[in-house]
Amino acid sequence: MNFDEVDASVRQALDEQKLYYKCRAQDYDINLATIVDSSFDPDIPGGLYSGDRGSQPKGTGLTSQTSQEIDALANQLAMEIDQVLTVFDQVQLGEHVLELASGTGNWTQRIVKRVDRVTAIESSVEMVAVAIAKLGEESNKVRFVIKDIFDSEMDATYDSVVFGFWISHVPRNRMAHFCSMVSKWLKPGGQLFFIDDKAPMEVASMVQDESSQIDRYELRDTAQGGNYRIIKNYYTSNVLEKLFSDQGMAISVSSTNKFFQYATGFKPNP
Ligand SMILES: C[S@@+](CC[C@H](N)C(=O)[O-])C[C@H]1O[C@@H](n2cnc3c(N)ncnc32)[C@H](O)[C@@H]1O
């Protein structure tokens, strides 16, 4: 297969995952409740982890678990969400944040309380509609750009760039380009924060080959019955740190015990 063929297949996958999330707009936020069932503690800011794992609880291994095990996982999840939020709340977001793949606004809601303006790029108008409804009056501080991130030419630079559960959907052969876009969009001194799923145990062994250009795909279904092939890559912290460092940024990638991988970083002043 030559590069054009590889890229055609990647383009197709990117289109399919846009379509998948378009169909998921209405149920995206209730997914976590589905995963951990009614024992889920409603105080957990579950919206920050809507469970990027499809509309069914498959793949979580939770369906055959006892309610005690489910409780323990819900507690673990709550603890890890707190851990990540403590880090996120210390990031100096500045005045104007660029959020990528903002979805139903789970991170936008949190960002908007701390800054003057947010610009949010999101491909699905359906996702944006849910976000606007959730944000209420605070949506006045957000400019939504309904576009494919890879086709976005922004006319400004930002104090910080934030994205949740997006980097795992970036194809391997687009990562260098994606990191260069993030670096270009950041002002010197600007801050970066992102979070994603940590590789589950069963795929952890597939994450080790750092030279691989082969994307990992998942077949996801939707409540409406559609099946979509989406990209779900798990990058090691070393790979992520190097990719951003190659674009002139300094980032540090950490993981919680079970659920999350997250990064903070910055673009140094010249
Ligand atoms: C896993 S969701 C994350 C949503 C949100 N950041 C969160 O943490 O809840 C991924 C989001 O990326 C959006 N998306 C997918 N492909 C995109 C693309 N090429 N350009 C812009 N947004 C895209 C989807 O519509 C979806 O809202």
Side-chain angles (χ1 to χ4, degrees):
M1 216 187 237
N2 65 32
F3 182 77
D4 285 348
E5 284 169 335
V6 171
D7 207 55
S9 132
V10 165
R11 274 185 176 281
Q12 200 182 349
L14 285 171
D15 286 345
E16 205 164 318
Q17 75 188 6
K18 279 190 283 187
L19 203 56
Y20 164 71
Y21 281 111
K22 200 178 170 63
C23 297
R24 291 282 323 279
Q26 296 309 320
D27 68 26
Y28 188 81
D29 283 349
I30 57 169
N31 196 42
L32 181 63
T34 317
I35 290 173
V36 296
D37 98 18
S38 54
S39 63
F40 181 62
D41 178 351
D43 290 338
I44 297 171
L48 289 182
Y49 183 59
S50 305
D52 180 25
R53 293 172 197 273
S55 64
Q56 304 298 320
K58 70 177 180 194
T60 60
L62 293 180
T63 41
S64 60
Q65 285 170 301
T66 64
S67 62
Q68 267 176 336
E69 285 167 330
I70 290 172
D71 278 353
L73 269 173
N75 288 337
Q76 173 82 24
L77 179 59
M79 221 171 60
E80 295 190 15
I81 289 172
D82 274 354
Q83 186 183 337
V84 176
L85 288 181
T86 302
V87 174
F88 176 65
D89 288 345
Q90 283 165 7
V91 174
Q92 300 293 316
L93 294 175
E95 291 174 6
H96 192 180
V97 176
L98 176 66
E99 187 187 357
L100 305 177
S102 48
T104 59
N106 292 322
W107 290 89
T108 328
Q109 272 184 320
R110 208 168 173 95
I111 297 166
V112 86
K113 294 197 173 359
R114 293 170 52 195
V115 304
D116 295 341
R117 280 185 299 157
V118 181
T119 296
I121 307 179
E122 165 58 53
S123 61
S124 157
V125 70
E126 294 79 2
M127 286 278 187
V128 168
V130 175
I132 289 174
K134 272 161 66 174
L135 287 163
E137 280 202 353
E138 282 184 313
S139 68
N140 294 333
K141 285 162 80 178
V142 186
R143 178 170 76 100
F144 286 99
V145 179
I146 298 169
K147 233 176 159 174
D148 189 313
I149 289 164
F150 294 107
D151 298 334
S152 299
E153 282 292 332
M154 305 309 285
D155 50 9
T157 52
Y158 301 86
D159 298 313
S160 50
V161 174
V162 173
F163 40 94
F165 304 95
W166 163 248
I167 206 155
S168 56
H169 296 313
V170 177
R172 286 183 186 271
N173 75 352
R174 301 277 174 106
M175 275 297 272
H177 175 59
F178 172 69
C179 297
S180 77
M181 292 196 306
V182 170
S183 180
K184 194 175 83 182
W185 291 333
L186 268 178
K187 287 180 182 164
Q191 305 287 307
L192 174 70
F193 173 86
F194 66 84
I195 177 170
D196 215 301
D197 296 301
K198 181 175 175 176
M201 288 295 272
E202 62 272 19
V203 296
S205 58
M206 295 165 62
V207 184
Q208 298 312 318
D209 184 1
E210 305 194 341
S211 62
S212 171
Q213 282 296 306
I214 298 169
D215 290 310
R216 185 179 167 277
Y217 287 93
E218 284 182 5
L219 199 59
R220 299 268 183 96
D221 56 9
T222 61
Q224 298 83 12
N227 265 312
Y228 299 87
R229 209 170 60 114
I230 63 134
I231 293 166
K232 189 76 185 173
N233 288 327
Y234 294 104
Y235 296 99
T236 62
S237 40
N238 287 346
V239 165
L240 291 170
E241 284 165 3
K242 168 135 189 5
L243 279 160
F244 280 97
S245 154
D246 288 348
Q247 304 303 327
M249 293 185 57
I251 75 160
S252 164
V253 181
S254 310
S255 296
T256 59
N257 192 33
K258 182 171 176 62
F259 290 101
F260 305 116
Q261 180 185 53
Y262 60 95
T264 54
F266 64 101
K267 175 171 162 174
N269 284 303

